[in-house]
Amino acid sequence: MEYFLTYLYVFLVGGFICMLGQVLVIRTQMTTARILVTFVILGVFLEAIGVYDYIFEFAKAGISVPIVGFGASLAKGAISAVHSRGILGIFTGGLEATAGGIAAAVIFAFIFALIFRPKTKKS
């Protein structure tokens, strides 16, 4: 029963984040790129005010897998680096904390660009 509740919480929180994105797509003139940036900033904000860890304890992958988790990882890395290295940690910490994910995204994007033929979207 405990696992069922965990899966339910993950689904509800992750689904809510996706629903917010869809509402922004439908109801506003925001592009998908701006919506992604908004979610990254939301993750940074939640980490900066110290709320992200509490939400993560409740929702687990529901909050960490979407792009919100990437923003929180950037902020967590920057905060940690500032404590250990000073003000320059603002610039280096976030990238160090997310380097694995960024490298994987670049490598997979390159592989898929070789395999598939990208086309521009017709308006």
Side-chain angles (χ1 to χ4, degrees):
M1 186 64 176
E2 179 182 336
Y3 289 120
F4 174 75
L5 289 177
T6 300
Y7 289 130
L8 181 65
Y9 298 150
V10 168
F11 177 77
L12 290 175
V13 172
F16 180 74
I17 292 169
C18 292
M19 182 196 69
L20 280 177
Q22 191 62 41
V23 167
L24 290 173
V25 167
I26 293 170
R27 298 281 183 197
T28 70
Q29 297 296 320
M30 291 177 73
T31 63
T32 53
R34 288 185 180 183
I35 293 169
L36 287 173
V37 170
T38 301
F39 283 153
V40 170
I41 292 170
L42 175 65
V44 169
F45 178 73
L46 291 174
E47 180 65 39
I49 64 172
V51 176
Y52 182 82
D53 289 335
Y54 296 113
I55 298 172
F56 178 78
E57 286 299 317
F58 173 75
K60 311 240 186 296
I63 191 79
S64 66
V65 172
I67 197 76
V68 177
F70 180 73
S73 295
L74 282 171
K76 191 175 291 190
I79 292 167
S80 171
V82 165
H83 289 336
S84 65
R85 284 182 250 147
I87 197 74
L88 287 178
I90 293 172
F91 305 107
T92 61
L95 291 176
E96 287 177 8
T98 58
I102 293 170
V106 169
I107 289 168
F108 285 115
F110 178 73
I111 291 170
F112 284 111
L114 292 176
I115 296 171
F116 300 103
R117 288 187 158 226
K119 297 176 186 157
T120 58
K121 185 177 178 181
K122 295 181 182 179
S123 303

